[in-house]
Amino acid sequence: MRQENQSTVTEFILIGFSNFPDLQIVLFMAFSLMYMFTLAGNIIIVTIIRIDHSLRIPMYFFLSILSFSEICYTVVIVPNLLANLIKANKAISFVGCATQMCFFLGFGCTNCILLTVMGYDRYVSICKPLHYQDIMNQRVCAQLVAFSAITGFLFSTTETIIVFTLPFCNLNKIEHFFCDIAPLLKLACARNYIGEIIIFIICVLVILCSFLLIMLSYLLILNTILKIPSTEGKRKAFSTCASHLIVVVVHFGCISIIYLRPKSRFTLDGDTVISVTYTIVTPLLNPVVYSLRNKDVQAALKKALGRKMLMRRM
């Protein structure tokens, strides 16, 4: 237990990119461009899926929800990051920090569970095609989305309460560019061992269990694909899963490094780079992967663009 000074902390200082003073403007421009492309890409996907009737199937319904969640996920982190890159005062209030953590973890957990749901959707589609419409009906899809969001924010609220009920003394400099669990636990004057165990269990449930369920879905999918006699049939079956699988590997690969390791191994520079990947790069990757690899989304985009050009000519 650290007892340097029992004064109450009312704000925190985010020092995430302070080690690169000469790169602040470059980072601001790079992150701004990535942020704009992320918003634009995910908004386009949500809009296209909503207006194109051919995309109103469970797979694209879940993709639109994931894209919306990714928009919210980046909005929680990136605007504040961009502001801190160009201003001298990098402070965030105690309540603001807690709110940021709760929403960031909430949308992050929701995304993990949604990716698991999308894996299950692919399993039903390929392994039980005759029962697909009955199993993945509108009611079930809505319930799965509601379960993802409620569970995600229940977990995030629990983690936030555990972290922010700890005493913070005179130390208020967060070695990160947003309010995350490990750097805040490092600042606390005391430790809540039971709370840290609960946080770790939640991380295992959300990250490891979700990933293992997705891998189980793909093992069953692979087993079914291998039984398809034609090469073209195998290719078409696997092509419907490739985009999802790419996003899963990148998403879970990065967050597992951060959240499934001992708190003592937190390092500012290393964790900052990895955190940029899953807070900025991965949300940008989703629309790029799904638009470039998915022929249905490409066709819907071309149709929408063609309709827009026709209206302009009229």
Side-chain angles (χ1 to χ4, degrees), residues 38-172:
T38 297
L39 290 182
N42 282 294
I43 288 170
I44 287 171
I45 283 185
V46 172
T47 305
I48 287 296
I49 291 173
R50 185 173 181 82
I51 65 175
D52 195 297
H53 293 281
S54 65
L55 298 181
R56 292 186 181 179
I57 60 175
M59 179 174 72
Y60 296 114
F61 170 69
F62 292 131
L63 175 57
S64 68
I65 300 298
L66 179 65
S67 293
F68 175 76
S69 182
E70 292 283 24
I71 292 169
C72 299
Y73 178 78
T74 53
V75 166
V76 171
I77 300 295
V78 182
N80 190 62
L81 163 61
L82 295 175
N84 286 339
L85 284 171
I86 58 175
K87 69 180 184 179
N89 182 16
K90 306 179 190 300
I92 183 170
S93 68
F94 187 90
V95 174
C97 191
T99 303
Q100 185 187 58
M101 176 185 282
C102 185
F103 279 95
F104 165 74
L105 293 175
F107 286 115
C109 291
T110 299
N111 290 347
C112 289
I113 301 170
L114 276 173
L115 287 169
T116 308
V117 168
M118 292 172 75
Y120 174 70
D121 172 72
R122 292 299 80 213
Y123 157 73
V124 177
S125 174
I126 294 172
C127 300
K128 300 186 177 184
L130 298 179
H131 303 285
Y132 182 69
Q133 295 296 332
D134 294 329
I135 296 174
M136 301 302 293
N137 57 59
Q138 288 186 348
R139 182 180 178 183
V140 170
C141 291
Q143 288 174 341
L144 288 171
V145 169
F147 171 79
S148 301
I150 292 170
T151 305
F153 276 91
L154 180 63
F155 284 156
S156 74
T157 302
T158 302
E159 291 174 315
T160 303
I161 290 171
I162 290 171
V163 172
F164 282 89
T165 50
L166 290 171
F168 294 94
C169 305
N170 210 29
L171 301 173
N172 70 337

Side-chain angles (χ1 to χ4, degrees), residues 212-236:
L212 290 176
L213 285 171
I214 293 171
M215 289 301 101
L216 175 61
S217 296
Y218 276 104
L219 284 174
L220 296 171
I221 288 169
L222 182 61
N223 182 56
T224 300
I225 290 176
L226 291 175
K227 293 177 182 178
I228 298 174
S230 68
T231 304
E232 182 64 18
K234 291 178 182 178
R235 188 192 64 79
K236 285 183 178 180

